[in-house]
């Protein structure tokens, strides 16, 4: 359907269509926009794609996304150095940062334990987590892996491994989303929320 | 809201957000996809953006988008060389090509007459159209500008200018879209369709 364009337009449409959520129609519209945009704007976009691949790496301490050896949070002395939050993915860390609810440091596992997919403890950054807890002066570890089966299993594994260490272990709470109507909340969440009920 | 990412990710998110229909959330998702895509895939995307700006130009004969001096249609001897369709924009030509309904040549005006916006006959490719009609052996000109006020005015202008030339002039038909329900068709289109009614 797009082969009525010159080859270089078709090439861009094809490459844009590979992006998630971008169909051929949208890719066509984006390509037309880029075609009519200034050369400077197009070059900036093109450049920033390559720069991303060249510059972004994992922070050597917490394994979040970073432009430098250490990420901005690990370099920030105003963060609470004794408080460590364990998350699955860089995106989880970004979500927590957006919420503004956490002022400590992070540890990004880069995945969860999933024996079915062949992901064991040595495949995610667990050894690095345990080393940090030994060597850094961590007082509390908040386990904020997801509430999927794998997320829960990973949380349990970490809890077991740290059972006898002199560090406080907590789990991020689950329950009914704020602003949510009970009737739209799934049964598993409702059950969990009921079990976790607490005094005022 | 995106400033919890490293600078190079923020830069890409910003540049992607400038594209039409791409909000910050979508740009964030696209940037994460590009981050996790292979280097080759990212480089291909980056490269194709710059290539587009470097390679695409207007066909020197019909002013459609082309990678070469002459576009693929102008170079194709199997197209009916005596039949010329006048459209406003390259996208209109692509739409007609997709329909497969036209086998002649095109002339892409690159706009419409719009005195309100200061667009006169000398600002769109009208002189080139009239020259082609004089020098090429054109038998029929199908005016397929849009049905906006400006599109109609441009069609009328062309018709007037070619009135006494030995060339057949036609206008692409307007009416009720195929598969459309009459009750959803706007009044102007209905009126036009009724006026243009014809025998079986």
């Amino acid at each position: 359907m797009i082969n009525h364009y010159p080859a270089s337009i078709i090439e861009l449409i094809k490459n844009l269509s590979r992006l998630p959520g971008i169909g051929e129609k949208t890719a066509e519209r984006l390509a037309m926009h880029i075609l009519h945009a200034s050369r400077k704007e197009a070059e900036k976009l093109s450049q920033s794609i390559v720069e991303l691949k060249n510059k972004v790496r994992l922070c050597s301490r917490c394994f979040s996304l970073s432009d430098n050896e250490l990420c901005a949070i690990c370099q920030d002395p105003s963060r609470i150095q004794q408080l460590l939050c364990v998350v699955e993915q860089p995106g989880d860390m970004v979500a927590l940062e957006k919420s503004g609810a956490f002022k400590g440091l992070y540890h990004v596992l880069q995945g969860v334990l999933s024996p079915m997919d062949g992901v064991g403890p040595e495949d995610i950054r667990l050894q690095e987590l345990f080393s940090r807890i030994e060597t850094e002066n961590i007082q509390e570890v908040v386990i904020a892996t997801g509430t999927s089966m794998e997320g829960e299993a990973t949380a349990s594994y970490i809890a077991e491994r740290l059972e006898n260490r002199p560090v406080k272990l907590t789990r991020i709470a689950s329950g009914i989303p704020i602003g949510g109507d009970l009737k739209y909340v799934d049964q598993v969440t409702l059950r969990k929320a009921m079990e976790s009920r607490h005094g005022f």
Side-chain angles (χ1 to χ4, degrees), chain A:
Chain A
M1 287 298 278
I2 56 167
N3 56 1
H4 305 291
Y5 283 111
S8 49
I9 300 185
I10 294 173
E11 178 67 17
L12 178 58
I13 293 175
K14 273 190 192 162
N15 288 332
L16 287 170
S17 313
R18 291 202 183 94
L19 297 174
I22 306 283
E24 197 177 274
K25 272 270 168 199
T26 307
E28 191 179 332
R29 205 180 64 236
L30 295 179
M32 286 301 115
H33 173 90
I34 293 168
L35 186 63
H36 293 110
S38 68
R39 170 170 295 269
K40 202 180 144 212
E41 193 178 327
E43 278 170 356
K44 265 173 72 179
L45 176 60
S46 168
Q47 189 62 28
S48 59
I49 292 168
V50 171
E51 286 283 283
L52 181 80
K53 296 302 279 189
N54 288 339
K55 286 198 178 161
V56 178
R57 48 178 160 169
L58 299 182
C59 169
S60 64
R61 187 182 180 201
C62 78
F63 306 102
S64 69
L65 301 173
S66 177
D67 279 342
N68 302 298
E69 175 73 17
L70 281 180
C71 73
I73 291 174
C74 283
Q75 285 188 62
D76 181 354
S78 77
R79 307 289 301 209
I80 303 163
Q81 306 289 316
Q82 294 74 36
L83 186 57
L84 188 67
C85 179
V86 181
V87 294
E88 294 178 15
Q89 298 291 348
D92 299 339
M93 193 203 90
V94 171
L96 278 169
E97 282 300 293
K98 284 180 182 174
S99 79
F102 185 74
K103 296 296 176 207
L105 303 175
Y106 289 93
H107 189 85
V108 185
L109 292 176
Q110 311 295 327
V112 273
L113 296 177
S114 177
M116 299 275 281
D117 303 317
V119 182
E122 63 292 342
D123 299 313
I124 57 178
R125 302 291 186 167
L126 280 171
Q127 198 46 59
E128 289 87 344
L129 170 64
F130 301 136
S131 302
R132 285 185 71 183
I133 292 167
E134 294 298 322
T135 56
E136 298 177 27
N137 182 26
I138 307 290
Q139 308 285 315
E140 179 180 347
V141 176
V142 186
I143 306 178
T145 53
T147 51
S148 66
M149 219 166 64
E150 292 83 4
E152 293 289 4
T154 307
S156 301
Y157 180 87
I158 296 169
E160 270 171 46
R161 280 287 304 264
L162 295 176
E163 212 171 8
N164 298 315
R165 311 305 307 164
V167 64
K168 186 177 169 189
L169 264 183
T170 53
R171 179 90 171 98
I172 194 170
S174 42
I176 294 160
I178 304 303
D181 211 330
L182 252 72
K183 66 172 175 270
Y184 300 127
V185 177
D186 68 284
Q187 296 178 10
V188 181
T189 303
L190 274 179
R191 213 172 300 139
K192 181 82 185 168
M194 193 52 78
E195 282 165 19
S196 310
R197 67 189 181 276
H198 51 76
F200 286 90

